[in-house]
């Protein structure tokens, strides 16, 4: 008699190897579509900042030419850059989930999905919770950020959004049948976040 299948978290090193294999496989299909818009806007934003800084330096020599109109422009550019970066992040995750689930990668669909109001509402709630945890002496973010990391996959794969997506993410990240700290999904996600940041 065969033993029934019991799901368990993947060992971390196996998880990292598998993630890198998948990245290499789908790099060309996903990366240019999400990286190019963000890179172009980041470059444009840097140019605007440099022009603003030059205007401020010139204003010290000639106070009458102080470029007040640049301040709102820089703020608008920063907001646009943040919005496009968030869209690109979501589109990249949607495409990665499609690849992981064996579906064809359609970056147009991924970008359209990223623009849905339910996605933005979920991202807003997740960002608000993360920001609140940063304000509480930073340390809680080491728990909250991994805890909410599956909100977007839950939205994509299960169709839940808002608080339901955050709750589902918390359920998934706390799934640890062995009870060992080294097998905890939260610990693995935190280490993975540190690795990808580096």
């Amino acid at each position: 008699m065969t033993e029934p299948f019991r799901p368990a978290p993947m060992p971390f090193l196996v998880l990292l190897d598998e993630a890198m294999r998948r990245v290499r496989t789908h790099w060309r299909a996903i990366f240019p579509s999400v990286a190019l818009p963000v890179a172009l806007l980041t470059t444009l934003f840097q140019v605007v900042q440099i022009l603003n800084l030059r205007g401020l330096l010139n204003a010290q020599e000639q106070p009458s030419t102080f470029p007040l109109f640049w301040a709102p422009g820089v703020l608008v550019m920063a907001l646009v850059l943040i919005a496009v970066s968030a869209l690109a992040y979501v589109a990249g995750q949607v495409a990665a989930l499609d690849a992981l689930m064996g579906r064809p990668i359609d970056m147009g669909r991924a970008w359209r999905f990223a623009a849905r109001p339910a996605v933005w509402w979920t991202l807003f709630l997740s960002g608000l919770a993360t920001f609140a945890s940063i304000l509480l002496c930073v340390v809680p973010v080491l728990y909250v950020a991994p805890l909410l990391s599956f909100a977007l996959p839950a939205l994509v794969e299960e169709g839940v959004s808002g608080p339901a997506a955050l709750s589902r993410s918390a359920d998934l990240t706390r799934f640890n049948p062995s009870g060992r700290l080294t097998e905890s999904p939260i610990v693995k996600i935190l280490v993975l976040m540190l690795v990808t940041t580096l």
Side-chain angles (χ1 to χ4, degrees):
M1 183 172 168
T2 60
E3 191 173 319
F5 172 73
R6 289 190 179 92
M10 188 181 284
F12 181 73
L13 293 178
V14 176
L15 176 71
L16 200 55
D17 285 344
E18 181 64 14
M20 291 310 299
R21 186 182 72 77
R22 302 270 180 160
V23 165
R24 285 191 299 270
T25 303
H26 302 291
W27 180 267
R28 287 185 184 162
I30 299 172
F31 186 75
S33 176
V34 296
L36 288 177
V38 174
L40 290 173
L41 269 176
T42 302
T43 302
L44 183 60
F45 183 62
Q46 294 300 321
V47 169
V48 169
Q49 281 186 311
I50 289 167
L51 291 174
N52 185 42
L53 183 59
R54 286 176 63 188
L56 290 174
L57 293 174
N58 288 339
Q60 289 177 352
E61 298 169 7
Q62 302 169 355
S64 60
T65 62
F66 186 77
L68 288 175
F69 60 89
W70 276 114
V74 171
L75 179 61
V76 168
M77 280 292 302
L79 292 174
V80 168
L81 179 59
I82 290 168
V84 171
S85 297
L87 276 168
Y89 171 76
V90 173
Q93 280 217 6
V94 170
L97 284 165
D98 285 343
L100 185 64
M101 302 304 287
R103 298 186 293 259
I105 296 172
D106 180 354
M107 290 310 298
R109 184 191 80 81
W111 278 94
R112 287 189 301 276
F113 187 95
R116 292 180 182 176
V119 172
W120 285 89
W121 172 237
T122 304
L123 286 178
F124 174 75
L125 290 177
S126 179
L128 195 61
T130 304
F131 181 70
S133 67
I134 289 172
L135 291 180
L136 297 171
C137 299
V138 179
V139 175
V141 80
L142 299 176
Y143 179 76
V144 173
L147 188 73
L148 302 178
S149 62
F150 287 146
L152 195 55
L155 194 149
V156 174
E157 294 300 322
E158 300 179 12
V160 294
S161 62
L166 303 187
S167 176
R168 181 65 176 140
S169 177
D171 290 342
L172 291 169
T173 54
R174 287 193 300 239
F175 177 72
N176 185 8
S178 71
R180 295 200 314 256
L181 184 64
T182 56
E183 293 298 315
S184 167
I186 290 180
V187 171
K188 291 179 185 178
I189 292 166
L190 181 60
V191 173
L192 198 56
M193 284 177 168
L194 295 174
V195 169
T196 54
T197 300
L198 290 174

